[in-house]
Amino acid sequence: MDIWTYQSVEYVTVAGESWLASASEYPRSMRALWESRPWAPSVLPCGRVFDVISMPSLFGRKVLDELWASGPGCGPVASFRGRTLLFVQPGAAPRLRTLLAWEEWAREVPPLLCHGLGDAVTVPPVQRMVDAPDSPGQGAGRWIVAPDTKEPWLPGAAVVLWACVRASRGAVSTPRELPEADPSTPGAPLYPLPSA
């Protein structure tokens, strides 16, 4: 099994909502907006709480599979308009952009959009509408792994870089053993938490 089956968490928890709102200059206003319109996408600034790496959807899937198979996993991930949005550590976007420009083997990686300080991204709604379209490029997007804690683990530039290189070369890491999720346990994570 992989992140695309039982590990995917498509709803934002209260703690995750708090983390997302903290990216805004006005977190209380953001929470009020979500309370009145939980099915609307939002625009949040990058650079303070997270950066975002936007990649083509199919390549994004390979990168996420690589992140989970090689061990570290990932933090929040969204799908929006045919792109995969990987939430990373603040400052990771400009660092990744520099590493990709500097390393000659990085030419194998498709062009990535690295959103950092001064940029903003559209994030999916905190609640998904029941009849929302599932097709890529349609609707308000969706969470592949929704924020579920006030301090999610976010990968750095080096972790994302190596996952991108391995994914572009078609390398396959040996998947690690994934614990089975117990849906009867309240608050149990539906995907394995990255090890420290």
Side-chain angles (χ1 to χ4, degrees):
M1 291 199 186
D2 61 15
I3 191 172
W4 307 96
T5 54
Y6 81 97
Q7 296 165 343
S8 182
V9 179
E10 291 188 38
Y11 62 91
V12 178
T13 65
V14 173
E17 189 178 301
S18 177
W19 174 75
L20 271 179
S22 71
S24 170
E25 194 171 336
Y26 305 101
R28 280 192 232 158
S29 297
M30 188 57 64
R31 303 272 318 255
L33 173 67
W34 289 333
E35 196 171 302
S36 64
R37 300 184 64 212
W39 298 288
S42 305
V43 176
L44 291 173
C46 297
R48 183 184 316 171
V49 176
F50 55 77
D51 284 358
V52 172
I53 308 301
S54 173
M55 52 192 84
S57 189
L58 291 176
F59 182 70
R61 179 176 178 140
K62 291 177 185 178
V63 169
L64 292 179
D65 286 344
E66 185 58 46
L67 284 169
W68 282 97
S70 63
C74 66
V77 181
S79 174
F80 186 75
R81 296 193 177 183
R83 308 239 355 139
T84 297
L85 307 177
L86 176 63
F87 287 70
V88 296
Q89 295 174 355
R95 177 81 176 125
L96 181 61
R97 194 173 20 244
T98 301
L99 289 171
L100 286 169
W102 183 64
E103 297 287 355
E104 63 185 53
W105 38 255
R107 291 184 202 137
E108 300 171 25
V109 175
L112 306 178
L113 302 176
C114 301
H115 303 286
L117 190 61
D119 296 327
V121 294
T122 302
V123 299
V126 294
Q127 290 182 21
R128 190 165 185 221
M129 293 180 75
V130 174
D131 58 352
D134 286 328
S135 304
Q138 306 266 331
R142 70 180 187 91
W143 290 103
I144 297 169
V145 178
D148 64 351
T149 178
K150 284 188 179 183
E151 295 181 19
W153 180 83
L154 301 173
V159 171
V160 175
L161 175 69
W162 287 109
C164 287
V165 169
R166 287 190 303 267
S168 67
R169 290 181 173 174
V172 179
S173 294
T174 305
R176 64 183 182 157
E177 279 296 312
L178 300 176
E180 290 295 324
D182 183 2
S184 65
T185 306
L190 297 179
Y191 60 94
L193 298 175
S195 54

